[in-house]
């Protein structure tokens, strides 16, 4: 999209000459990454059916952007505004699940996390090589701009995160709303869909092993790339099926063709695309082998047996879901019998889930209602009388050619 071509949409001084539904409150979803986009699509499901609301999307950029983000947004079939047009208008509500470019948008901002918890598993920023100061998603430099607190509502998962915020950016505490985790609530609500998800994956009666990786050099895919072929080829395919869930940034940075080529030797591997399907795949799983990423944390939270293939240097950040998983899950040993390691993971799974859940959310199964109320408050609209429910995870659809 050319930067100087604006969309003839429902905003602007002459919008009244073209809209069919006049007087709608305008909502802008800011999508800098596919990861943020998937979280915002979940959030938008709580209000986009309202006849009083008009939702729009934008992909921010300055001199660069993550590959594949605009394609992801277009695939949602929402109205996509050029970044320059979005930044030039004021909206009734701005939704974000990333800190990028938030100082440039106008309107009351609701900011939520894009992973499990606002205290990340990594202690140091990926952008600062040799960093010695731990970072969180609640640091002042992320939440303020020139002394101004950016979010009008900051969605947090737990009261413990409020205390982290009080230490890191106390001026933002009035914006904090402990809302739990919408993604986790949706996964919990979809437990009854497990067999449907397994049928979509073509698992049958076999046990499903999911190999989960975040991105960067300390991830499972970064440190133990041979794990994928070793496990897919070692487990008997009459008893086991294997799926891979890779962070969207792995695909964005390296490209789909290259990632596919790297995984081409993995017999029968079901590769889950980055846009959707990982939540359902985790629900369908019998055993998850992962790292400090959010997908592994969510798997642990819904009671899946977990084995750790990789951790960041040292130990995960204290207070993070990843640190709780590290404390209970055993490390993967590719030279030891895999089925014995699965049994060990199964034995500790109930305790792991019990320890992870209160770190991920202290508003279990309540997030949809809390978040919807917060959005309608910012929109200055009366909230619908119907109950708010978390969206159920989409059906998993492995990439073609990987389910032999």
């Amino acid at each position: 999209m050319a930067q100087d071509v604006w969309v003839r949409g429902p905003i602007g001084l002459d919008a009244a000459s073209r809209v069919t539904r006049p007087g709608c409150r305008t909502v802008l979803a800011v999508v800098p990454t596919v990861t943020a986009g998937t979280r915002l699509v979940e959030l938008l499901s709580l209000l986009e059916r309202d006849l009083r609301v008009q939702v729009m999307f934008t992909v921010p950029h300055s001199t660069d952007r993550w590959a594949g983000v605009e394609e992801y947004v277009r695939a949602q079939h929402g109205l996509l505004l050029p970044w320059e047009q979005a930044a030039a208008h004021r909206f009734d509500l701005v939704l974000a699940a990333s800190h990028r470019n938030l100082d440039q948008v106008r309107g009351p901002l609701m900011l939520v996390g894009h992973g499990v918890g606002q205290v990340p598993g990594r202690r140091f920023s990926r952008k600062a090589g040799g960093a010695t100061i731990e970072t969180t998603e609640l640091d002042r430099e992320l939440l303020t701009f020139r002394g101004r607190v950016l979010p009008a509502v900051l969605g947090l998962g737990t009261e413990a995160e409020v205390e982290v915020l009080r230490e890191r950016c106390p001026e933002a505490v009035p914006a904090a709303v402990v809302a739990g985790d919408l993604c986790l609530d949706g996964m919990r609500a979809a437990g009854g869909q497990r067999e449907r998800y397994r049928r979509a994956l073509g698992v049958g009666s076999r046990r499903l092993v999911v190999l989960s990786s975040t991105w960067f050099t300390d991830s499972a895919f970064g440190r133990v790339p041979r794990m994928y072929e070793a496990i897919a080829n070692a487990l008997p395919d009459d008893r086991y099926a294997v799926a891979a869930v890779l962070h969207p940034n792995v695909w964005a940075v390296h490209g789909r063709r290259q990632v596919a080529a790297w995984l081409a030797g993995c017999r029968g591997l079901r590769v889950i695309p980055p846009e959707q399907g990982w939540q359902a795949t985790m629900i369908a799983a019998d055993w998850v082998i992962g790292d400090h990423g959010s997908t592994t944390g969510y798997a642990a939270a819904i009671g899946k047996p977990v084995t750790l293939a990789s951790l960041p240097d040292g130990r995960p950040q204290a207070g993070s879901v990843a640190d709780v998983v590290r404390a209970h899950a055993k490390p993967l040993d590719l030279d030891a019998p895999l089925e014995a390691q699965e049994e060990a993971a199964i034995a500790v799974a109930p305790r792991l889930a019990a320890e992870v859940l209160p770190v991920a959310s202290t508003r279990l199964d309540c997030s949809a209602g809390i978040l919807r109320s917060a959005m309608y408050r910012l929109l200055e609209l009366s909230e619908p009388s119907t109950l708010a429910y978390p969206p159920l995870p989409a059906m998993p659809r492995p990439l073609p050619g990987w389910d032999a």
Side-chain angles (χ1 to χ4, degrees):
M1 180 184 296
Q3 294 184 11
D4 57 345
V5 177
W6 287 20
V7 171
R8 289 176 59 82
I11 58 172
L13 295 177
D14 58 345
S17 66
R18 54 180 175 266
V19 297
T20 300
R21 285 286 306 153
C24 289
R25 295 287 205 274
T26 56
V27 178
L28 179 69
V30 182
V31 187
T33 66
V34 171
T35 310
T38 58
R39 189 55 55 99
L40 293 179
V41 168
E42 293 174 346
L43 193 59
L44 287 169
S45 71
L46 302 178
L47 56 70
E48 63 186 346
R49 295 184 181 183
D50 195 319
L51 291 171
R52 302 169 295 171
V53 170
Q54 165 73 62
V55 172
M56 288 158 274
F57 297 81
T58 192
V59 176
H61 63 84
S62 49
T63 58
D64 64 354
R65 70 175 64 175
W66 290 92
V69 182
E70 189 166 307
E71 292 82 355
Y72 167 78
V73 175
R74 290 192 182 282
Q76 309 311 307
H77 304 291
L79 181 62
L80 177 60
L81 302 179
W83 174 241
E84 292 79 6
Q85 183 178 9
H89 288 83
R90 181 175 179 84
F91 296 85
D92 296 305
L93 174 63
V94 178
L95 299 176
S98 167
H99 300 91
R100 293 167 64 97
N101 302 92
L102 297 184
D103 59 299
Q104 299 176 52
V105 290
R106 293 188 286 174
L109 169 66
M110 180 172 177
L111 176 62
V112 298
H114 57 260
V116 61
Q118 299 273 24
V119 179
R122 300 189 86 259
R123 296 168 60 197
F124 309 113
S125 171
R126 293 181 176 94
K127 299 178 181 179
T132 58
I133 298 176
E134 294 183 353
T135 60
T136 74
E137 301 297 314
L138 304 175
D139 293 353
R140 177 176 284 113
E141 57 265 33
L142 298 177
L143 298 178
T144 65
F145 179 72
R146 295 180 177 174
R148 174 173 64 94
V149 175
L150 293 171
V153 169
L154 176 60
L156 302 179
T158 69
E159 285 78 9
E161 291 179 354
V162 177
E163 295 310 308
V164 174
L165 180 66
R166 198 181 308 279
E167 175 186 343
R168 299 278 185 155
C169 187
E171 60 270 42
V173 170
V177 173
V178 179
D181 188 309
L182 187 64
C183 177
L184 175 59
D185 286 357
M187 294 176 74
R188 285 167 56 86
Q193 303 297 312
R194 173 176 158 84
E195 290 306 317
R196 292 186 65 227
Y197 294 151
R198 289 175 62 84
R199 284 196 297 271
L201 291 166
V203 172
S205 61
R206 292 175 293 174
R207 299 188 64 75
L208 176 62
V209 181
V210 178
L211 310 180
S212 169
S213 178
T214 186
W215 65 290
F216 204 56
T217 56
D218 56 7
S219 68
F221 193 56
R223 281 193 170 156
V224 201
R226 71 184 185 94
M227 169 184 78
Y228 293 79
E229 184 170 358
I231 291 177
N233 294 346
L235 291 172
D237 56 15
D238 62 332
R239 295 174 49 210
Y240 286 89
V242 184
V245 170
L246 301 177
H247 192 286
N249 286 355
V250 176
W251 301 89
V253 171
H254 295 288
R256 291 207 177 199
R257 181 183 179 91
Q258 184 61 76
V259 174
W262 281 334
L263 296 174
C266 305
R267 184 191 65 203
L269 184 69
R270 289 150 173 78
V271 180
I272 308 303
E275 299 87 5
Q276 69 174 48
W278 71 262
Q279 296 102 319
T281 303
M282 291 302 178
I283 293 169
D286 295 292
W287 180 26
V288 174
I289 302 173
D291 54 22
H292 54 282
S294 289
T295 51
T296 307
Y298 281 118
I302 62 171
K304 299 301 174 179
V306 170
T307 298
L308 284 173
S310 177
L311 285 172
D313 292 332
R315 60 175 286 177
Q317 188 161 193
S320 67
V321 168
D323 195 36
V324 178
V325 175
R326 177 207 61 83
H328 297 280
K330 294 185 179 299
L332 176 69
D333 183 354
L334 285 175
D335 297 320
L338 291 174
E339 294 179 54
Q341 295 181 70
E342 180 190 11
E343 291 174 3
I346 292 171
V348 301
R351 182 180 176 189
L352 174 59
E355 296 289 339
V356 165
L357 276 175
V359 180
S361 170
T362 52
R363 297 293 186 275
L364 286 177
D365 307 322
C366 298
S367 60
I370 297 171
L371 291 170
R372 190 179 73 172
S373 293
M375 288 189 287
Y376 275 90
R377 172 166 59 84
L378 295 181
L379 285 168
E380 298 182 352
L381 285 176
S382 60
E383 191 175 352
S385 59
T386 55
L387 294 175
Y389 295 100
L392 298 183
M395 200 66 64
R397 303 189 187 281
L399 294 177
W402 290 92
D403 56 352

